[in-house]
Structures are given as structure tokens and as C-alpha cells.
Amino acid sequence: MSRLVRHLEDIVGEENVTDDEEVLWTYARDQQWPFVPPMRPDYVVRPKSREEVQAVMRLAYRERIPVIPYSAGINVRGLCIPTQGGIMLDMRKMNRILEINTEMMACVIEPGVTIAQLASECMKHGVRPAVPGCPATASAVANYSLRGLYHHQWKDGIENVLSMEVVLPNGEVLYTGSWGFPNSPGPYSRYGQGPDLTGLFQNQPGTMGVITKMCAKLFPYCDIKDWVVAGYDDLNELVRVILEFGKYEIGTSCMGMHWLGFAMIFSGRAEDVMEFKGTWGEYVVWLAIEGTEETKGRMEWEREMAENIVRNSNYVAGGEIFPMPEDLVNEMTYPRDVASWFRLGSYYAVPFFAQMKLAPVYHEETKKLWLKHGLDYDTCGWFIAPFDYCKHGQSCYYEVETWFDPTNEEERQKLINFTDEYHQKIIEMGAYAYFRPNPGNMSAALPLMGNYAKLWKAIKDLIDPHDIMNPGKVFV
Amino acid sequence: MVTILENVIESLRKYAAWAYRCGKERTCHFVNYHKLGAPLPICPSGEYFKYEAYYGSGRLETLRAIAERDIKEPSERLLEIIYACTVCGGCRQQCKGHVTQGTDVMGIDHVEAFEALRTVLSEELGWGPLPAQKAFAESIKLNHNPYNEPHEKRRACFASSDVGEPPVKNAEVIYFVGCTSSYREPSIAVSTVKLLKAAGVDFGVMSDEWCCGSPLLRTGQKSAAVETAKHNVETLKQMGVKTVIFSCAGCYRTFKEDYPQLFGDLGFECLHVSEYLPQLVKEGKLKFKEMQRKVTYHDPCHLGRHLGFAAVYEPPRELVKAVPGVELVEMKRNREQSWCCGSGGGVKAAFDDFAVWTAIERLKEVEETGAQTLVTPCPFCVHNFKDAVAASGKSIEVLDLVELLANAL
Ligand SMILES: Cc1cc2nc3c(=O)[nH]c(=O)nc-3n(C[C@H](O)[C@H](O)[C@H](O)COP(=O)(O)OP(=O)(O)OC[C@H]3O[C@@H](n4cnc5c(N)ncnc54)[C@H](O)[C@@H]3O)c2cc1C
């Protein structure tokens, strides 16, 4: 047994450390392995408390060993795949919901808490957490710190963190937001003293420290859910309708999608997906309207407005308000069936933040590049998920997606080539940013980011001088 | 098509492709929370050992690593990852709701994949099975039961009971007793015979019943399993039997699912006793006395999700409710979302601590219901639950379904 394993065992106990090759293999790949080469960590370590995390970090800092925080490992971007080996810090044993506070509309959770665990617990209290569209087996802490794509981001936005307890690379603990102020009555506010230090630990996949607790936003639970769906052949018209919804602040969630993505939600089998083609037009928009007994009046108004906007548009299918199907209500509460949405193959996606009105441009450019790389246009899905009612910059999440056979070398290679070029294209097309940093996109963006990149790197060097935190995931 | 699966171990090619298809979304770690309202755990092995390798998703990745020869030799850890799994199908159940990506197949069949992996380990690579599993195979070869008990004592349990020996004859209905009821839980065999006699069923038992082969199949010892299975099938065919009934869920699943795959159409019907008795109750041939008891029911994997669409969930529950005064209360994880008892897949023989831990987890769920009695129609589950009661000191009565019914005659 190595000296390091002995040290780690002293910290977390023998049963919570391993360097057995057979265990390491199962942390070496995720679903994005064609784009992120598989690599094993050298150790898997499972801490049970913040103190244990601190001790592991002190050891790793001293010995300059890479540490990869892992809370559920389903990020599908290779964000937990090591680039230099090191310690896989599997946080699943720290899975307590410490507080659900309906007065402060906030919860305090550990990283091992899944979205499903949090959502089901919140339901008992008449509230709900922010629900990302990924399988609810994901960690709420990891998801919120990465900033995600949420079912109700149209209304509530994508920022769900209030404050954090973070173990820094050298083992010291930092509290952010109101948690960091002397005698503060709690961690419930993002607005702490001085600059926003919480943001420093967001959207940087495990590269600045280990989050051991998070205070996150909660929202009222809505038990009445309706939706309106409409199909369009003209993408400009779809964009206009979404902007119109936004102007009146209607609905809780809203998305525009290529017919293929929409078909994925409903069709049972692979071949049924293709049968959807042409039935809803090329593009589909859906808007969910949610409320409770008390807000029925507002819902009525929203329904009427939504229906009017759609009816006055150049739609080709749908257009009526109806109760959301039960399966979808579950999916909005704690997604699960999304795991099976990808019937045509393994899930491939390149997402970025962008501007709503430019969606037709992104779409055209993507199509050109897609065809250039010999890919099948029929399987080129995309969707656009606007946030904050498209106010303030018309910010949106735009995703190009497809489904592929990962064992088919040729198909894989075409996608790899497309991806490399697309990362450049995203910058050329005038997007706001990549959705999340990952090795594939950061190498394209950083050289063009000037002082922004320089300052970012300087801060990273200050906090993590030995570059032990998930190295290679931002600064490559 | 140029595939990356050119150089894999041939018998694992299909399953290695599944490992590539797996979305690694970990839905196989939890029950269907859309149905149960909370993400309760479904995988005993993952929950006990905790590393990713021990969940369905990780084990599939281990399969890939073996198939692609990333893992080149066995180790204690590797064998633990592969064999410390009850192959309960909890993971498959979660995946089965989905379509396997890029195919029309409903979900990844982890049970098939893991049993195939164990077969490759035993019969191609020579890395498995584990010593305890080899030992029961040896016993099955010598004594036709995995318990090292003399074959001639197979029906001894009846001799010491008040029902007497069941008839050994060529009847249309044959009761296949099974090894665990014959040697470890004799009261189950006796209770079944009591019920059949009370209902006036003209039935017989085999003069030379052998182990059904379930423990061998579950641990990848396929050739040995075929031998014992062949004996049973040929004997039953010679007897001209129409219906074989089983009190053991494991024997039942093996006859119903595995034998047809090995031998084609068997030519006789297979019914679990819980499927056979309800008609007798309906016809008034079986009547039960009142018995005041709050009971909960555990679905054995072999009678439930292993059978897919043919799963037997309702008939045993109807039988429990047929006893006047008995109140049936459900555990949170029930039917296809059931938590395994912990003993299947060769685990009881090789990892008894893990088996008992798994059963204790289930007993905690029993306590939550407030039931005094845990009823299940599987001697292997009963056996392990009794060990768990002894180990945990919990005051829960464990009964096989036929014991509950026979007590109420
Ligand atoms: C089918 C599918 C659909 C998806 N759709 C969406 C969607 O709609 N919206 C969305 O937001 N996401 C979506 N995703 C992406 C993904 O599931 C999420 O980003 C997920 O929340 C990542 O969380 P995780 O729990 O898997 O984190 P992990 O994979 O464990 O970690 C993700 C990153 O965070 C770091 N990290 C983890 N824990 C900590 C910690 N305690 N401290 C510091 N760093 C840490 C890791 O090092 C890693 O870099 C989807 C994924 C799939 C498979």
C-alpha cells in the first residue's frame, strides 16, 4: 500500500479510499468520451464531512496532487474525467438536506443531495427547488454551481445560488454571500459585503475549491400546470412569438425547438421519432403556465394572452391551451424520462449563451457547417431556451444536439470534426459565451479573451497556486 | 461500418456495445421516483459498497473493460465487483422503461449482461466463480442440491411432519419442491402439501427431483446448470405431466424463463403456487379461518421483475387478503420497484454479511408499515430474512406465503 493511501485512510477511513484499478476504471469515462479521452484517477476518496474534505485538500495541496470533485458524475461533458490522474473526491456520502426554510425561501444542502431528493423533500413543504432539465439524479450543488438550464428559467432565471461553504485548495474554509458576514442571521442572501465572491466558484467546473454546503433558492410549488404548443415553418415568426410572450411576462417556462427535439419528448420508440417529421412544422414553441388556487386569476389572464399571441401569429399547428400531461408534470418536477429522450443514439450537444433575435442566424450557420461535415441534417436537432422573459439582452441558451452511435468510428469522427470547427463558429456568430467551460471550447475562446482571460487566470493562480483543482478543465 | 468493438471478447461484444450506449445518468441507482415520489435506492450492491463500480452503471463499465481487455487479470476486487450483486434486476427495471439508445430494444438488460459476464468468467477466462459458488456446484453434481445434503434425504422433511409423504406418482399436477424447502425451510414444503391436500388436488412429487440449476445459472456455471436442468425436464416429460407447481420463486423463474431458452417448449405449464391457489379459493375448495394480523408482502425478484410482463404481483396479494382478519399493508418499494432481499445471484453463499445487511434494510421498511409479519413466497428470501431478524434482533415474524395460508386452514 502506498504512503499516500495510508494518509488518505487515516483521514476518511479504510473503506473510503481505494486505488484498486477495477474501481478506478468506472470513473474514467462518461458519455462524452469521444470528445474527452478516458482517463482513470489514481484514487477514489469518499469524505463524510467538511473536516475530512479539508484534511484531504491539505494533503493534496502539500503533495501537489490533482483533485477532481465528483458529486454525481453525470455532467456529460467529461468535467469529472481526470486529465492527470489524481484524487477523485466522490462526495455522494455527504448527502444531507440541512434546512428547508419556507420563510426565507431557501435550503441548505450538501453536494451529494440529488435534485430528486431535494424536490421530493421540498414538495412536503409546499415549495420547489430550481429544476434543471437533466435527470434529477444529478447533484443540486454541482448543477447550481455550474449554472444550468432550468425548467422555469423563463421566469426565475438561471441563478439559484445564495451562498456557499467552500473548502479552498489549501484546506481553508470560505463562506460567501451573507454567510461570510459576522453575526449574519443566516446564509440566505447572495448580497454579501463587497464583490460577489460566490460567483468566483460558479461556472468553473470544480477548479477553484470544493463546495461542501450550499444555500440555494426555493420557489413556491405550483400544482396547476397548463401549456400551449404551436408549430411554425418560419423561425423568425417563432422568435417573434417568444419575444411577445416575454413582453407580457407570461408563463414560467418556454422553449423553441426543432421538430426533432419535440418528437423526442413524446415518441416511444426510435422509428416513431422520424414519423413526427412534418406533423408540427419545422419548429415548435411551447409555453408552460403554472400557478396555484390563489393565483388562478392571473393564470386565466396568462392563458388568454398566450392564446391570443399564438392565434395572431403565422402558426401551422397546435395553438390551444390544455392541461400539461401528467408525465410532463413529473418531468418538470424531477426529470427522469429525459434519460430516455435520446432514442436515436448517444446524446451529443454543444450549447452556448446567445441572443434570441439571432436564433435564425445561428440556425443557418449551424446547418451549413453540419452539412459540410457530411452529417445528416434530419438528425440535427436544436432548441432555444430563453431566460428572464428575454429582458436584458434577450439572453438565451441555444443548443445544437444530435444522437449518434458511439461505436461507429466514422460517425464519431465527423462529430469530432464538426465540434472543433463549431467552437470557433460560435465565437464568429457573435454568441455571448459557451454554456460551460470545457477543454474543447476553452482552448478556442481563451486566446481571444484578452484581459478578461488574464485576470481570470490570475485569480485562479492566487486561489489554486499549485493548479490541483480539476486541472485542464478551464485553463488548458 | 468501422466499429471500435473490433477486438472485444466475442461473447461480450453485444454487452460492451450496451456499455457504450449507457447514458451514465444513474437512473439505475434509484427507484422510479415519478411513481414513488422519492428517489429511494434500488441497488443493494451499490448502496452497500458505495463505489460507482458496484452499481449497474459501473458494473456495465467493468464489463466493457474486461471485454476490451483493459482489465487483463482477475483480482479480489474485480471478483467482488462482479459477484457481490444479487442480479436482482432493480437497475434493469429502471432502464427497461427506456428504449436503448439507437435501437428498438427496451432498455439495457443488466441481468442478461451480468449473467453472461459471469459465464465468460467461469467458462472462458477461468477467473470465476468464487470458491463458495464452486463448492455448491460441486455439491449439486454429487448430491443434486447445493447444501451438501444427501440426495436420498430430499423428502425427509415430510416424514417428520403431520402431513406425511406426498405421493410419488405420475400425476397431471406435479409439485416441484426445490432444494431450499427440502433441506432448509421444510415448513414451506410441508405447508404447500397441506394446502394441496386440503383443496383435494390430485398431485404428485418427482421420485428423483434434482436442483433446478438456478444457483448455477446465476453464477455463470452454465454447463453444469444444463446437466441438472436436462434431468428435470426429461423426467417430467416422461411422467406426462401437464402442470408443474412451485413454492420456490427461484425454481419457478428458472423453469419458466431459463429452461425454454435452453430446451425450447417444455410441453408442460409452470405455475407458482401463488398462481395456482387463487382458483381453488374461488371454487371454495380452500377456506381459511380468521387470523388477526397486520401483514406486509415482499416481492421476490424471481417472481416479480425477472419475469417482465409475466411478473406475478397480484395473485399472492389476493391470497394474503383471502385470509379473514389479515390486513395487508404495502411497503414503499413494492412490486417492480421492490428492494431485493439480498440473497440471490450466489450472494448468500459468497457474501453473507452483504446479504444480511440487504435484508435488514428491508426489515426497516417493514417496521415503517407497522406490520408484525413479513410474508413472501420464496424460501430463499424467507431464509435470508430470518437470518436478518436474528442478526438485527428485530421482532418481525417472517413467513412464507404458504405458511401463512396453511396456518389459517
Ligand atoms: C440527458 C441530459 C440532459 C441534460 N440537461 C440539462 C439541463 O437541462 N440543464 C442542466 O443544467 N444540465 C443538463 N444536463 C447536464 C448535467 O446533468 C448537469 O450539468 C449536472 O447537473 C451536473 O451535475 P452532476 O451532479 O452530474 O455533477 P458532476 O458531474 O459530479 O460535476 C460536474 C462538475 O462540477 C464539479 N463539482 C462537482 N461537485 C462539486 C463540488 N462539491 N464542489 C466543486 N465542484 C464540484 C465537478 O468537478 C465537475 O467539474 C443534462 C445532462 C443529461 C445527461
Side-chain angles (χ1 to χ4, degrees), chain B residues 105-128:
Chain B
V105 179
M106 288 298 285
I108 285 168
D109 190 334
H110 300 76
V111 174
E112 185 189 325
F114 299 157
E115 287 185 5
L117 176 61
R118 290 175 178 189
T119 306
V120 167
L121 250 64
S122 308
E123 302 192 347
E124 288 186 41
L125 300 173
W127 297 357

PDB file of all heavy atoms in Angstrom, chain B residues 105-128:
ATOM      1  N   VAL B 105     -34.639  -1.837 -28.799  1.00  0.00           N
ATOM      2  CA  VAL B 105     -34.668  -2.675 -27.604  1.00  0.00           C
ATOM      3  C   VAL B 105     -35.079  -1.831 -26.412  1.00  0.00           C
ATOM      4  O   VAL B 105     -34.620  -0.699 -26.254  1.00  0.00           O
ATOM      5  CB  VAL B 105     -33.263  -3.266 -27.347  1.00  0.00           C
ATOM      6  CG1 VAL B 105     -33.248  -4.112 -26.095  1.00  0.00           C
ATOM      7  CG2 VAL B 105     -32.827  -4.077 -28.551  1.00  0.00           C
ATOM      8  N   MET B 106     -35.955  -2.377 -25.596  1.00  0.00           N
ATOM      9  CA  MET B 106     -36.363  -1.635 -24.408  1.00  0.00           C
ATOM     10  C   MET B 106     -35.294  -1.774 -23.335  1.00  0.00           C
ATOM     11  O   MET B 106     -35.210  -2.779 -22.653  1.00  0.00           O
ATOM     12  CB  MET B 106     -37.701  -2.165 -23.870  1.00  0.00           C
ATOM     13  CG  MET B 106     -38.893  -1.812 -24.731  1.00  0.00           C
ATOM     14  SD  MET B 106     -39.168  -0.026 -24.875  1.00  0.00           S
ATOM     15  CE  MET B 106     -39.864   0.349 -23.281  1.00  0.00           C
ATOM     16  N   GLY B 107     -34.504  -0.791 -23.193  1.00  0.00           N
ATOM     17  CA  GLY B 107     -33.541  -0.717 -22.092  1.00  0.00           C
ATOM     18  C   GLY B 107     -32.399  -1.713 -22.200  1.00  0.00           C
ATOM     19  O   GLY B 107     -32.409  -2.640 -22.990  1.00  0.00           O
ATOM     20  N   ILE B 108     -31.418  -1.447 -21.370  1.00  0.00           N
ATOM     21  CA  ILE B 108     -30.292  -2.369 -21.268  1.00  0.00           C
ATOM     22  C   ILE B 108     -30.699  -3.475 -20.311  1.00  0.00           C
ATOM     23  O   ILE B 108     -31.232  -3.197 -19.238  1.00  0.00           O
ATOM     24  CB  ILE B 108     -29.054  -1.598 -20.754  1.00  0.00           C
ATOM     25  CG1 ILE B 108     -28.510  -0.740 -21.895  1.00  0.00           C
ATOM     26  CG2 ILE B 108     -28.009  -2.543 -20.207  1.00  0.00           C
ATOM     27  CD1 ILE B 108     -27.486   0.288 -21.471  1.00  0.00           C
ATOM     28  N   ASP B 109     -30.439  -4.722 -20.690  1.00  0.00           N
ATOM     29  CA  ASP B 109     -30.811  -5.843 -19.830  1.00  0.00           C
ATOM     30  C   ASP B 109     -29.606  -6.223 -18.975  1.00  0.00           C
ATOM     31  O   ASP B 109     -28.796  -7.073 -19.352  1.00  0.00           O
ATOM     32  CB  ASP B 109     -31.282  -7.021 -20.688  1.00  0.00           C
ATOM     33  CG  ASP B 109     -31.914  -8.105 -19.837  1.00  0.00           C
ATOM     34  OD1 ASP B 109     -31.557  -8.192 -18.642  1.00  0.00           O
ATOM     35  OD2 ASP B 109     -32.764  -8.841 -20.357  1.00  0.00           O
ATOM     36  N   HIS B 110     -29.515  -5.549 -17.841  1.00  0.00           N
ATOM     37  CA  HIS B 110     -28.347  -5.782 -16.977  1.00  0.00           C
ATOM     38  C   HIS B 110     -28.286  -7.227 -16.497  1.00  0.00           C
ATOM     39  O   HIS B 110     -27.203  -7.778 -16.330  1.00  0.00           O
ATOM     40  CB  HIS B 110     -28.398  -4.865 -15.755  1.00  0.00           C
ATOM     41  CG  HIS B 110     -28.411  -3.416 -16.091  1.00  0.00           C
ATOM     42  ND1 HIS B 110     -29.523  -2.773 -16.565  1.00  0.00           N
ATOM     43  CD2 HIS B 110     -27.444  -2.480 -16.014  1.00  0.00           C
ATOM     44  CE1 HIS B 110     -29.238  -1.494 -16.762  1.00  0.00           C
ATOM     45  NE2 HIS B 110     -27.983  -1.294 -16.439  1.00  0.00           N
ATOM     46  N   VAL B 111     -29.446  -7.830 -16.268  1.00  0.00           N
ATOM     47  CA  VAL B 111     -29.448  -9.205 -15.750  1.00  0.00           C
ATOM     48  C   VAL B 111     -28.789 -10.123 -16.777  1.00  0.00           C
ATOM     49  O   VAL B 111     -27.888 -10.904 -16.448  1.00  0.00           O
ATOM     50  CB  VAL B 111     -30.896  -9.658 -15.435  1.00  0.00           C
ATOM     51  CG1 VAL B 111     -30.926 -11.129 -15.049  1.00  0.00           C
ATOM     52  CG2 VAL B 111     -31.488  -8.803 -14.321  1.00  0.00           C
ATOM     53  N   GLU B 112     -29.223  -9.987 -18.016  1.00  0.00           N
ATOM     54  CA  GLU B 112     -28.633 -10.817 -19.082  1.00  0.00           C
ATOM     55  C   GLU B 112     -27.132 -10.524 -19.207  1.00  0.00           C
ATOM     56  O   GLU B 112     -26.319 -11.438 -19.299  1.00  0.00           O
ATOM     57  CB  GLU B 112     -29.351 -10.505 -20.401  1.00  0.00           C
ATOM     58  CG  GLU B 112     -28.890 -11.389 -21.544  1.00  0.00           C
ATOM     59  CD  GLU B 112     -29.449 -10.926 -22.901  1.00  0.00           C
ATOM     60  OE1 GLU B 112     -30.590 -10.431 -22.941  1.00  0.00           O
ATOM     61  OE2 GLU B 112     -28.724 -11.070 -23.905  1.00  0.00           O
ATOM     62  N   ALA B 113     -26.788  -9.248 -19.175  1.00  0.00           N
ATOM     63  CA  ALA B 113     -25.381  -8.874 -19.355  1.00  0.00           C
ATOM     64  C   ALA B 113     -24.509  -9.417 -18.225  1.00  0.00           C
ATOM     65  O   ALA B 113     -23.435  -9.983 -18.460  1.00  0.00           O
ATOM     66  CB  ALA B 113     -25.255  -7.353 -19.437  1.00  0.00           C
ATOM     67  N   PHE B 114     -24.980  -9.277 -16.977  1.00  0.00           N
ATOM     68  CA  PHE B 114     -24.137  -9.684 -15.847  1.00  0.00           C
ATOM     69  C   PHE B 114     -24.045 -11.213 -15.750  1.00  0.00           C
ATOM     70  O   PHE B 114     -23.012 -11.757 -15.372  1.00  0.00           O
ATOM     71  CB  PHE B 114     -24.640  -9.064 -14.537  1.00  0.00           C
ATOM     72  CG  PHE B 114     -24.617  -7.554 -14.556  1.00  0.00           C
ATOM     73  CD1 PHE B 114     -25.434  -6.814 -13.703  1.00  0.00           C
ATOM     74  CD2 PHE B 114     -23.794  -6.866 -15.432  1.00  0.00           C
ATOM     75  CE1 PHE B 114     -25.419  -5.419 -13.728  1.00  0.00           C
ATOM     76  CE2 PHE B 114     -23.779  -5.475 -15.470  1.00  0.00           C
ATOM     77  CZ  PHE B 114     -24.597  -4.753 -14.617  1.00  0.00           C
ATOM     78  N   GLU B 115     -25.133 -11.897 -16.099  1.00  0.00           N
ATOM     79  CA  GLU B 115     -25.048 -13.367 -16.084  1.00  0.00           C
ATOM     80  C   GLU B 115     -24.132 -13.850 -17.208  1.00  0.00           C
ATOM     81  O   GLU B 115     -23.378 -14.806 -17.044  1.00  0.00           O
ATOM     82  CB  GLU B 115     -26.450 -13.981 -16.193  1.00  0.00           C
ATOM     83  CG  GLU B 115     -27.215 -13.813 -14.878  1.00  0.00           C
ATOM     84  CD  GLU B 115     -28.582 -14.498 -14.835  1.00  0.00           C
ATOM     85  OE1 GLU B 115     -28.945 -15.210 -15.791  1.00  0.00           O
ATOM     86  OE2 GLU B 115     -29.276 -14.312 -13.826  1.00  0.00           O
ATOM     87  N   ALA B 116     -24.175 -13.154 -18.360  1.00  0.00           N
ATOM     88  CA  ALA B 116     -23.280 -13.525 -19.463  1.00  0.00           C
ATOM     89  C   ALA B 116     -21.824 -13.277 -19.062  1.00  0.00           C
ATOM     90  O   ALA B 116     -20.936 -14.081 -19.362  1.00  0.00           O
ATOM     91  CB  ALA B 116     -23.620 -12.716 -20.705  1.00  0.00           C
ATOM     92  N   LEU B 117     -21.595 -12.159 -18.355  1.00  0.00           N
ATOM     93  CA  LEU B 117     -20.238 -11.849 -17.905  1.00  0.00           C
ATOM     94  C   LEU B 117     -19.724 -12.949 -16.972  1.00  0.00           C
ATOM     95  O   LEU B 117     -18.585 -13.416 -17.077  1.00  0.00           O
ATOM     96  CB  LEU B 117     -20.226 -10.492 -17.184  1.00  0.00           C
ATOM     97  CG  LEU B 117     -18.909 -10.055 -16.556  1.00  0.00           C
ATOM     98  CD1 LEU B 117     -17.809  -9.909 -17.604  1.00  0.00           C
ATOM     99  CD2 LEU B 117     -19.070  -8.726 -15.807  1.00  0.00           C
ATOM    100  N   ARG B 118     -20.594 -13.378 -16.055  1.00  0.00           N
ATOM    101  CA  ARG B 118     -20.183 -14.446 -15.133  1.00  0.00           C
ATOM    102  C   ARG B 118     -19.907 -15.746 -15.886  1.00  0.00           C
ATOM    103  O   ARG B 118     -18.988 -16.492 -15.525  1.00  0.00           O
ATOM    104  CB  ARG B 118     -21.272 -14.653 -14.073  1.00  0.00           C
ATOM    105  CG  ARG B 118     -21.366 -13.478 -13.102  1.00  0.00           C
ATOM    106  CD  ARG B 118     -22.514 -13.635 -12.136  1.00  0.00           C
ATOM    107  NE  ARG B 118     -22.547 -12.517 -11.194  1.00  0.00           N
ATOM    108  CZ  ARG B 118     -23.341 -12.491 -10.126  1.00  0.00           C
ATOM    109  NH1 ARG B 118     -24.143 -13.492  -9.862  1.00  0.00           N
ATOM    110  NH2 ARG B 118     -23.321 -11.440  -9.316  1.00  0.00           N
ATOM    111  N   THR B 119     -20.689 -16.008 -16.934  1.00  0.00           N
ATOM    112  CA  THR B 119     -20.452 -17.225 -17.726  1.00  0.00           C
ATOM    113  C   THR B 119     -19.090 -17.137 -18.417  1.00  0.00           C
ATOM    114  O   THR B 119     -18.335 -18.117 -18.437  1.00  0.00           O
ATOM    115  CB  THR B 119     -21.586 -17.414 -18.759  1.00  0.00           C
ATOM    116  OG1 THR B 119     -22.823 -17.392 -18.057  1.00  0.00           O
ATOM    117  CG2 THR B 119     -21.455 -18.734 -19.501  1.00  0.00           C
ATOM    118  N   VAL B 120     -18.778 -15.958 -18.945  1.00  0.00           N
ATOM    119  CA  VAL B 120     -17.473 -15.787 -19.592  1.00  0.00           C
ATOM    120  C   VAL B 120     -16.351 -15.977 -18.563  1.00  0.00           C
ATOM    121  O   VAL B 120     -15.343 -16.634 -18.828  1.00  0.00           O
ATOM    122  CB  VAL B 120     -17.379 -14.400 -20.270  1.00  0.00           C
ATOM    123  CG1 VAL B 120     -15.954 -14.068 -20.681  1.00  0.00           C
ATOM    124  CG2 VAL B 120     -18.302 -14.348 -21.481  1.00  0.00           C
ATOM    125  N   LEU B 121     -16.544 -15.440 -17.381  1.00  0.00           N
ATOM    126  CA  LEU B 121     -15.525 -15.579 -16.332  1.00  0.00           C
ATOM    127  C   LEU B 121     -15.284 -17.051 -15.987  1.00  0.00           C
ATOM    128  O   LEU B 121     -14.149 -17.480 -15.801  1.00  0.00           O
ATOM    129  CB  LEU B 121     -15.950 -14.804 -15.079  1.00  0.00           C
ATOM    130  CG  LEU B 121     -15.107 -13.564 -14.790  1.00  0.00           C
ATOM    131  CD1 LEU B 121     -15.235 -12.539 -15.879  1.00  0.00           C
ATOM    132  CD2 LEU B 121     -15.486 -12.943 -13.454  1.00  0.00           C
ATOM    133  N   SER B 122     -16.381 -17.822 -15.881  1.00  0.00           N
ATOM    134  CA  SER B 122     -16.232 -19.230 -15.495  1.00  0.00           C
ATOM    135  C   SER B 122     -15.765 -20.086 -16.652  1.00  0.00           C
ATOM    136  O   SER B 122     -14.888 -20.921 -16.492  1.00  0.00           O
ATOM    137  CB  SER B 122     -17.570 -19.840 -15.063  1.00  0.00           C
ATOM    138  OG  SER B 122     -18.182 -19.077 -14.117  1.00  0.00           O
ATOM    139  N   GLU B 123     -16.411 -19.873 -17.807  1.00  0.00           N
ATOM    140  CA  GLU B 123     -16.233 -20.878 -18.844  1.00  0.00           C
ATOM    141  C   GLU B 123     -15.233 -20.485 -19.927  1.00  0.00           C
ATOM    142  O   GLU B 123     -14.812 -21.330 -20.692  1.00  0.00           O
ATOM    143  CB  GLU B 123     -17.606 -21.238 -19.431  1.00  0.00           C
ATOM    144  CG  GLU B 123     -18.512 -21.739 -18.306  1.00  0.00           C
ATOM    145  CD  GLU B 123     -19.809 -22.399 -18.745  1.00  0.00           C
ATOM    146  OE1 GLU B 123     -20.166 -22.268 -19.919  1.00  0.00           O
ATOM    147  OE2 GLU B 123     -20.436 -23.045 -17.878  1.00  0.00           O
ATOM    148  N   GLU B 124     -14.847 -19.200 -19.986  1.00  0.00           N
ATOM    149  CA  GLU B 124     -13.844 -18.817 -20.996  1.00  0.00           C
ATOM    150  C   GLU B 124     -12.534 -18.369 -20.351  1.00  0.00           C
ATOM    151  O   GLU B 124     -11.458 -18.773 -20.750  1.00  0.00           O
ATOM    152  CB  GLU B 124     -14.376 -17.683 -21.883  1.00  0.00           C
ATOM    153  CG  GLU B 124     -15.459 -18.135 -22.847  1.00  0.00           C
ATOM    154  CD  GLU B 124     -15.866 -17.030 -23.804  1.00  0.00           C
ATOM    155  OE1 GLU B 124     -14.987 -16.297 -24.302  1.00  0.00           O
ATOM    156  OE2 GLU B 124     -17.084 -16.895 -24.035  1.00  0.00           O
ATOM    157  N   LEU B 125     -12.642 -17.502 -19.340  1.00  0.00           N
ATOM    158  CA  LEU B 125     -11.425 -16.918 -18.779  1.00  0.00           C
ATOM    159  C   LEU B 125     -10.867 -17.707 -17.599  1.00  0.00           C
ATOM    160  O   LEU B 125      -9.694 -17.574 -17.263  1.00  0.00           O
ATOM    161  CB  LEU B 125     -11.697 -15.469 -18.340  1.00  0.00           C
ATOM    162  CG  LEU B 125     -12.152 -14.508 -19.441  1.00  0.00           C
ATOM    163  CD1 LEU B 125     -12.555 -13.159 -18.856  1.00  0.00           C
ATOM    164  CD2 LEU B 125     -11.036 -14.320 -20.470  1.00  0.00           C
ATOM    165  N   GLY B 126     -11.738 -18.511 -16.977  1.00  0.00           N
ATOM    166  CA  GLY B 126     -11.289 -19.278 -15.809  1.00  0.00           C
ATOM    167  C   GLY B 126     -11.025 -18.406 -14.581  1.00  0.00           C
ATOM    168  O   GLY B 126     -10.281 -18.774 -13.690  1.00  0.00           O
ATOM    169  N   TRP B 127     -11.644 -17.214 -14.519  1.00  0.00           N
ATOM    170  CA  TRP B 127     -11.429 -16.318 -13.363  1.00  0.00           C
ATOM    171  C   TRP B 127     -12.453 -16.567 -12.260  1.00  0.00           C
ATOM    172  O   TRP B 127     -12.299 -16.117 -11.146  1.00  0.00           O
ATOM    173  CB  TRP B 127     -11.548 -14.844 -13.789  1.00  0.00           C
ATOM    174  CG  TRP B 127     -10.532 -14.386 -14.769  1.00  0.00           C
ATOM    175  CD1 TRP B 127      -9.485 -15.120 -15.268  1.00  0.00           C
ATOM    176  CD2 TRP B 127     -10.449 -13.091 -15.374  1.00  0.00           C
ATOM    177  NE1 TRP B 127      -8.766 -14.351 -16.160  1.00  0.00           N
ATOM    178  CE2 TRP B 127      -9.328 -13.101 -16.240  1.00  0.00           C
ATOM    179  CE3 TRP B 127     -11.197 -11.933 -15.273  1.00  0.00           C
ATOM    180  CZ2 TRP B 127      -8.956 -11.990 -16.994  1.00  0.00           C
ATOM    181  CZ3 TRP B 127     -10.825 -10.821 -16.028  1.00  0.00           C
ATOM    182  CH2 TRP B 127      -9.717 -10.850 -16.882  1.00  0.00           C
ATOM    183  N   GLY B 128     -13.535 -17.168 -12.590  1.00  0.00           N
ATOM    184  CA  GLY B 128     -14.602 -17.358 -11.613  1.00  0.00           C
ATOM    185  C   GLY B 128     -15.111 -18.762 -11.715  1.00  0.00           C
ATOM    186  O   GLY B 128     -14.562 -19.565 -12.481  1.00  0.00           O
TER     187      GLY B 128
END
